[in-house]
Amino acid sequence: MASFKHCYYDYFNFSIESALLNGTGRRVVVRGTLHAFALTVFGEYLYWSDWTKMAIIRANKYNGGNPITLVKNLRTKPMDLHVIAEERQNCELKE
C-alpha cells in the first residue's frame, strides 16, 4: 500500500505536496499557491482551485511544470473538483 501517493495542500508553506500513504517520501510538487483548496489528479496533471486567484489551475503532477490557468475570474470559491472523462465513465457490468 505504500506505493500509492496522496496529494495535499500545505497551508503554512503555500505549496501542493505529495507523499506516500505511510507518510514517507514527502515532496513539493507546486510552490507559491496562496490558497489552493480543491485538488484532483487525472492523467499527467494535477488540478486545483485557487481561492486567492479565483481560478482553476492545472500543472504537471510530477514536477508542477507548465502551470496553466484553465478558468479565471470565478465568482465563487470551488470546494471540490471532478474530472469528467470517458476513461472514468466505464459503467459496464462484468459477469
Side-chain angles (χ1 to χ4, degrees):
M1 182 171 237
S3 65
F4 292 104
K5 289 194 174 181
H6 176 72
C7 289
Y8 57 93
Y9 176 64
D10 185 329
Y11 186 79
F12 296 104
N13 292 315
F14 304 113
S15 62
I16 296 173
E17 302 183 3
S18 71
L20 297 174
L21 290 180
N22 66 7
T24 63
R26 181 177 172 177
R27 67 183 187 82
V28 174
V29 179
V30 179
R31 293 188 190 280
T33 55
L34 297 180
H35 196 156
F37 196 84
L39 294 169
T40 192
V41 177
F42 179 70
E44 299 295 308
Y45 298 102
L46 172 66
Y47 300 81
W48 69 94
S49 63
D50 189 306
W51 284 9
T52 300
K53 295 179 181 179
M54 296 302 289
I56 306 293
I57 303 167
R58 177 191 88 178
N60 181 283
K61 71 179 181 183
Y62 299 108
N63 59 23
N66 197 27
I68 296 171
T69 300
L70 300 173
V71 180
K72 59 183 176 180
N73 301 320
L74 293 169
R75 294 181 183 182
T76 61
K77 297 176 178 177
M79 299 182 80
D80 200 6
L81 291 176
H82 294 271
V83 172
I84 307 299
E86 187 173 341
E87 300 92 294
R88 289 192 171 185
Q89 305 306 314
N90 184 352
C91 295
E92 278 185 34
L93 294 175
K94 301 208 181 207
E95 296 182 31

